Amino acid sequence: MSALRRRKAGNVLMLGLTYVAAVLATLPLLFILFHLLQKGASTLTPEFFTNMPRPVGEAGGGMSNAIVGTLILIAIAGVIGLPVGIGAGLYLAEKRVGALAMTVRFLSDVLNGLPSIVLGIFAWQFLVRPFGSFSALAGGIALGAMMIPLVTRTTEEMIRLVPNSLREAALALGYPRWRTSLSVILRTALPGIVTGALVAVARIAGETAPLLFTAFGNQFWSTALDEPIAALPLQIFAYAISPYDEWHKQAWAGALVLIVIVLIISLAARHATRARFGSATD
Amino acid sequence: MGDAIASSGTPGGFARGHRVASLAGAAPGDRVYRMVITAFALMIPALLLLIAVAIGVAAWPALSAAGLSFITTSEWNVQAGKFGAAPAIYGTLVSSFIALVLATPLAVGVAIFLSEIAPKWLRQPVAFLVDLLAAIPSVVYGLWGIFFLVPMLRDHVVPFFRNTLHLGSTPLFSGPAYGPSMLAAGVILAIMALPYISAVTREVLIAVPRSQRDAALALGATKWEMIWHAVIPYARSGIIGGVILGLGRALGETMAVTMVIGNRPEISASLLAPGYTMASLIANEFTEATSDMHLSALMAVGAVLFAITLIVNGIARWLVWRVASGPKP
């Protein structure tokens, strides 16, 4: 019977270890959130949202320009990433098989795995070098390219969840295929596609690397698309590696704002999916 | 066929003819629609091609001037025009390797916990928390790394390895421990890669058929034996795919690594020594590069990174797809 006892002990040990793994895996998140609140909350006054950055030595100041800059960059990225992503997703969902569909699907996964800094040097080569200036547009385009594969794949998956009977019903009523696709299938899949778009936005909102040499950052107020523009992640980076305590505090506050933005978008994304698919998948 | 029906449509039956044609997929609207979505789909290969060509062209001067020595030599001296990227390549590979060694058991453990063991009410919240790790911006990891992780490793973990485990005399833990180091980069990359590995692993574990588990349990296996002998082998190549996917993430990660690795282009056996990665090299020097050769050298580093991540991701996707599409009957 000792063999059985040994097996049972091994069972308890290994199952216990998976509990340990679950605890260890969630600890970093709790630590990060705790430290952000602990070190960022006190700097997070209303002025932080309305004031411009102050020079070293002056207390206070805020990141209003960086917050606006990040919103502008997200908008540019969305204008580029959403149509292409949704269009390509529609194509993949309608085609399903076929050499081109398989290739596009595979390459979109490859694009998704590309380091963001590579997209940064690409955008620099095409949009900064020829025009001779860092620009919001170059940054937004680099971020938009990052959104494309994410939106493509979620769009495809969400459209595939739409029951085929719906498509057949629309076709049977005499709808042409394009109208079936756009006003029946796409509309039914919309909550899922919104989720995909939000997840993509959440991911690019905090991106820093491709902005280092495209949007570049700006200490002043700028909303021009052809000039360098401030961004929250860039500001956090610059302040974090600076030697000044005052700036470190600002970095923590900025990071707290960024995390709250990302968390709100992530929660909205979950809510959007649950509204439509929750009962079916749970 | 569709065209024939449409053009020979019955007299006075315009609407009817139109409908017949659209069912055959030949209505003008359909043709335009198909062209538009095909064009959007083609933008993805076009974009990748454009990226590859742009970076390849920009990298060519440095690559052709240095040849193989670009990846085999260690001297990165901008003034002397010497560009040896070996330390950055070494740092990228080693920091990612440390990340995988730390993250894989944890991520697979969490995935097993979530798919096989956890009570129902606990699954959603824990899965959500682990997924959230992937949503935290890299620069926030870096900030947290600078002010919490690096001091914590230096003041508590390193003394533990040296004094309690007596590993100070091994090359891995030798030398001064200033803080920013390969170890810190590896740990932070592990945290960042973990959600990717665990998400893929969870997915492939869920794809394992119920009958696989029932058969093992019917033979008298304990729950763990069932998981280890019936579930994991079935999902193995998918799990490996997930790990390689995590590797792909770790290889290209920039901000967090740049903030904690120390950015020194030297190859050292000690995990406590500062290092460099390809991504952090580009991030640090790109805006300061003034000479064309320096820029080209940085583009060449980008090209090497591009090539490595391309291969790694290709393998990962292939492995995951193979499991997701099920076993060949």
Side-chain angles (χ1 to χ4, degrees):
Chain A
M1 268 345 240
S2 82
L4 179 59
R5 195 169 295 160
R6 203 175 330 119
R7 285 173 54 207
K8 282 189 169 169
N11 183 47
V12 170
L13 174 74
M14 293 314 288
L15 295 189
L17 279 180
T18 68
Y19 276 87
V20 174
V23 171
L24 281 179
T26 45
L27 267 186
L29 182 80
L30 301 179
F31 265 113
I32 290 171
L33 294 181
F34 172 74
H35 285 126
L36 282 171
L37 282 172
Q38 184 197 29
K39 301 196 177 180
S42 60
T43 318
L44 211 56
T45 55
E47 288 77 47
F48 186 85
F49 295 94
T50 56
N51 281 9
M52 296 281 291
R54 298 242 175 94
V56 184
E58 276 184 53
M63 293 196 180
S64 59
N65 61 336
I67 294 169
V68 170
T70 285
L71 295 179
I72 291 174
L73 287 168
I74 290 176
I76 302 172
V79 166
I80 293 155
L82 290 180
V84 178
I86 293 175
L90 274 169
Y91 175 85
L92 291 184
E94 303 238 322
K95 275 284 186 207
R96 302 201 177 196
V97 288
L100 181 61
M102 292 302 282
T103 311
V104 169
R105 200 171 286 132
F106 180 74
L107 290 183
S108 113
D109 284 350
V110 168
L111 186 63
N112 190 27
L114 219 57
S116 59
I117 196 161
V118 169
L119 287 169
I121 54 176
F122 161 73
W124 181 88
Q125 175 79 358
F126 264 95
L127 296 155
V128 176
R129 190 176 224 181
F131 295 103
S133 156
F134 299 108
S135 69
L137 202 59
I141 288 175
L143 296 182
M146 284 191 66
M147 279 182 79
I148 291 174
L150 282 166
V151 178
T152 301
R153 299 288 285 167
T154 39
T155 302
E156 184 198 355
E157 257 157 55
M158 291 306 153
I159 290 179
R160 282 185 180 208
L161 286 180
V162 177
N164 216 24
S165 52
L166 218 59
R167 178 191 302 268
E168 282 159 8
L171 289 173
L173 286 174
Y175 263 33
R177 276 180 187 277
W178 66 271
R179 277 202 66 183
T180 307
S181 242
L182 293 182
S183 54
V184 178
I185 309 284
L186 197 59
R187 245 184 90 175
T188 315
L190 200 60
I193 295 172
V194 170
T195 303
L198 288 174
V199 169
V201 166
R203 181 157 157 216
I204 60 153
E207 264 302 331
T208 320
L211 300 181
L212 287 174
F213 24 82
T214 52
F216 191 68
N218 197 328
Q219 280 296 94
F220 304 101
W221 186 266
S222 174
T223 53
L225 297 190
D226 58 349
E227 284 171 23
I229 195 167
L232 207 44
L234 281 175
Q235 200 90 346
I236 296 168
F237 175 59
Y239 281 10
I241 60 171
S242 79
Y244 314 112
D245 274 345
E246 198 56 45
W247 279 11
H248 294 164
K249 280 187 194 151
Q250 293 273 315
W252 281 106
L256 185 56
V257 172
L258 188 59
I259 279 283
V260 169
I261 293 175
V262 169
L263 286 188
I264 288 174
I265 301 174
S266 301
L267 287 171
R270 285 174 78 82
H271 182 75
T273 337
R274 205 164 282 176
R276 180 69 63 140
F277 298 107
S279 53
T281 49
D282 277 344
Chain B
M1 279 288 271
D3 281 329
I5 296 169
S7 54
S8 69
T10 47
F14 172 73
R16 192 168 155 262
H18 174 78
R19 260 177 222 169
V20 172
S22 68
L23 274 180
D30 283 353
R31 223 174 296 152
V32 172
Y33 171 69
R34 190 159 297 175
M35 268 159 53
V36 171
I37 58 172
T38 310
F40 278 130
L42 284 174
M43 281 185 193
I44 290 172
L47 179 63
L48 260 176
L49 195 68
L50 208 60
I51 295 171
V53 170
I55 293 175
V57 167
W60 184 246
L63 281 180
S64 62
L68 252 189
S69 73
F70 186 77
I71 55 170
T72 54
T73 59
S74 303
E75 195 188 349
W76 186 273
N77 187 337
V78 178
Q79 272 74 37
K82 293 226 165 103
F83 299 105
I89 297 172
Y90 170 85
T92 300
L93 298 180
V94 171
S95 60
S96 300
F97 178 74
I98 300 170
L100 288 192
V101 168
L102 295 175
T104 304
L106 269 185
V108 174
V110 175
I112 293 175
F113 176 77
L114 288 173
S115 79
E116 315 283 334
I117 295 164
K120 253 208 165 101
W121 59 271
L122 204 58
R123 283 179 196 190
Q124 284 274 330
V126 173
F128 180 61
L129 287 180
V130 176
D131 286 348
L132 267 190
L133 277 179
I136 292 183
S138 166
V139 71
V140 175
Y141 275 111
L143 178 75
W144 181 73
I146 291 179
F147 294 108
F148 174 75
L149 187 69
V150 166
M152 200 266 287
L153 288 176
R154 182 188 55 210
D155 299 339
H156 301 288
V157 176
V158 171
F160 171 77
F161 274 110
R162 284 187 167 166
N163 305 335
T164 315
L165 298 180
H166 301 291
L167 292 171
S169 54
T170 60
L172 282 184
F173 291 96
S174 62
Y178 297 117
S181 60
M182 196 71 100
L183 179 69
V187 171
I188 218 154
L189 282 176
I191 300 172
M192 296 178 79
L194 188 137
Y196 292 96
I197 304 175
S198 99
V200 174
T201 305
R202 201 173 359 138
E203 215 169 283
V204 294
L205 287 183
I206 289 170
V208 174
R210 185 73 245 168
S211 56
Q212 199 80 8
R213 298 181 174 84
D214 292 340
L217 291 177
L219 289 173
T222 63
K223 191 155 193 185
W224 175 254
E225 286 166 345
M226 178 268 284
I227 294 167
W228 191 247
H229 295 295
V231 177
I232 301 273
Y234 193 96
R236 188 186 295 132
S237 65
I239 297 174
I240 295 171
V243 172
I244 299 176
L245 204 67
L247 172 66
R249 293 280 161 196
L251 290 171
E253 178 44 52
T254 312
M255 302 317 296
V257 173
T258 305
M259 291 160 92
V260 302
I261 200 171
N263 300 314
R264 192 189 296 164
E266 280 169 14
I267 294 179
S268 166
S270 172
L271 296 178
L272 309 178
Y276 223 161
T277 68
M278 289 188 269
S280 54
L281 173 62
I282 300 171
N284 275 320
E285 295 196 1
F286 205 87
T287 47
E288 285 155 19
T290 44
S291 78
D292 282 348
M293 209 44 163
H294 189 188
L295 267 175
S296 179
L298 292 170
M299 283 286 189
V301 174
V304 175
L305 182 60
F306 180 95
I308 293 179
T309 49
L310 208 68
I311 296 166
V312 165
N313 280 305
I315 296 172
R317 290 298 171 184
W318 181 69
L319 286 170
V320 177
W321 275 8
R322 236 180 36 170
V323 176
S325 60
K328 302 278 174 292

